[in-house]
Amino acid sequence: MDYLTLLQVLDSTVRLATPLLLACLAGLFSERAGIFDIGLEGKMLLAAFFSAAVAYVTGSVWLGLLAGIASSMVLAGLHGLASITFRGNQLISGVAINFLAAGMTVLIAQDWFKQGGRTPSLIGGARFEPITLPLAETLQPVPVIGPLYHDLISGHTVLVYIAFLCVPATWWLLYRTRFGLRLRAVGENPAAVDTAGVSVVGLRYAAVAICGILCGIAGAYLATALQAGFVKDMTAGRGYIALAALIFAKWRPWYALSATLLFGLLQAVALRYQNIDLGGVVIPVQVMDALPYILTVVILAGFVGKAIPPRAGGEPYVKER
């Protein structure tokens, strides 16, 4: 593999890891506050549809992004209502959201656009365009550094840069602010937080809302940046892969970046190298495509060691009288 081919694979890794990273950080906020969220997949899917639909109708990708975030936050609100207010089973609520989004997106898309559950292709201002960073063209002829800057760092859409900036922002918010301290405490010992006079319900709803925003951006990225429109079930299990990456990362932001880049690399390799010949044994393309999902199963089976979730995770908080 030559240097330019390596850069192309890494460039694809960054693009494919972006929705996983956003969804992983979304789950991190929610689960750090004690709310398990299986519904990342559903929120991303609904956001992908509404962002593509609104972007197509209005011709503005930014309005599409806002629509995607709003739709994701509606599902996040439903999950919060079921899990926090009514103290329902968080896992069942998340699964219900996934089924709801899978059915609703196809039904509405068919009713609106009559294209078999998909939206028309997005063009022009209805899509996020790549951004060329300063001096990218000037530095391109420079050996090693030039292609690295031009081909790998530059040339991505704004949502990619937002996603990677979210990692240090999440670290700072969780570990350097009063809000982050309280959020983590709610996931570990909500009774102690309540005793200190801080609203457990309010903090958990805030975490669920942040989760909805990040899932909305992830879904919008899929439909308006990575691809040019919405198709049925386009999230393709990315919400579940993000959950596996979150466990792999042990609920820490910087580890989440590494884990999602690993999954993105596997997807990039599967797309670029198909039917690989290893000493006369040809690995079918289906095996390469299944690599990210195989790694998901391996991680969830405990291959990387025991990951300890927040102690109050999945448990509704009942205020003592």
Side-chain angles (χ1 to χ4, degrees):
M1 182 188 297
D2 60 15
Y3 183 56
L4 290 179
T5 302
L6 176 62
L7 288 180
Q8 290 172 1
V9 172
L10 293 178
D11 179 70
S12 297
T13 297
V14 169
R15 297 175 193 273
L16 293 169
T18 296
L20 298 177
L21 177 59
L22 287 165
C24 189
L25 293 176
L28 188 150
F29 274 103
S30 182
E31 297 196 8
R32 274 291 190 175
I35 303 297
F36 288 163
D37 197 348
I38 302 293
L40 299 177
E41 179 90 359
K43 288 195 278 287
M44 289 171 63
L45 188 61
L46 194 68
F49 167 70
F50 276 104
S51 62
V54 172
Y56 174 77
V57 172
T58 64
S60 171
V61 70
W62 293 104
L63 290 178
L65 174 62
L66 291 177
I69 292 174
S71 62
S72 176
M73 290 192 70
V74 168
L75 289 186
L78 285 176
H79 184 56
L81 193 67
S83 302
I84 303 171
T85 302
F86 295 115
R87 305 188 188 110
N89 187 293
Q90 297 172 11
L91 299 181
I92 293 176
S93 172
V95 171
I97 284 174
N98 290 339
F99 282 123
L100 178 66
M104 184 185 299
T105 50
V106 176
L107 181 66
I108 300 177
Q110 178 62 20
D111 182 62
W112 284 3
F113 302 109
K114 306 292 191 299
Q115 294 192 10
R118 60 184 298 162
T119 63
S121 296
L122 304 179
I123 57 174
R127 283 197 70 192
F128 282 105
E129 297 295 335
I131 297 173
T132 301
L133 296 180
L135 301 179
E137 299 293 340
T138 306
L139 294 175
Q140 187 178 9
V142 178
V144 182
I145 298 176
L148 177 69
Y149 183 63
H150 181 272
D151 297 340
L152 181 59
I153 300 175
S154 179
H156 297 288
T157 61
V158 64
L159 295 185
V160 173
Y161 298 111
I162 289 175
F164 280 81
L165 287 174
C166 280
V167 177
T170 298
W171 174 85
W172 178 81
L173 187 62
L174 285 178
Y175 295 100
R176 290 294 183 270
T177 66
R178 181 179 298 177
F179 172 78
L181 176 63
R182 290 173 173 176
L183 190 74
R184 287 182 289 124
V186 161
E188 297 292 339
N189 193 341
V193 175
D194 194 19
T195 302
V198 180
S199 172
V200 173
V201 171
L203 280 170
R204 286 188 166 179
Y205 265 111
V208 168
I210 295 172
C211 176
I213 293 172
L214 292 174
C215 282
I217 299 174
Y221 172 80
L222 285 174
T224 60
L226 189 63
Q227 299 185 32
F230 174 84
V231 295
K232 178 183 177 184
D233 294 332
M234 71 180 305
T235 47
R238 284 182 173 89
Y240 301 110
I241 294 177
L243 283 175
L246 182 60
I247 296 171
F248 191 16
K250 298 185 178 178
W251 294 271
R252 297 178 183 177
W254 290 108
Y255 292 176
L257 174 62
S258 303
T260 51
L261 284 174
L262 173 61
F263 281 104
L265 176 62
L266 288 176
Q267 291 182 338
V269 170
L271 288 174
R272 185 169 185 87
Y273 298 101
Q274 301 182 354
N275 295 324
I276 297 178
D277 189 350
L278 295 177
V281 178
V282 178
I283 301 178
V285 60
Q286 291 83 0
V287 174
M288 299 302 297
D289 290 337
L291 276 179
Y293 306 98
I294 294 172
L295 182 60
T296 301
V297 174
V298 170
I299 288 174
L300 292 179
F303 183 78
V304 296
K306 188 176 182 182
I308 302 174
R311 283 185 296 175
E315 299 176 4
Y317 176 65
V318 180
K319 187 180 179 73
E320 293 183 2
R321 298 294 181 183

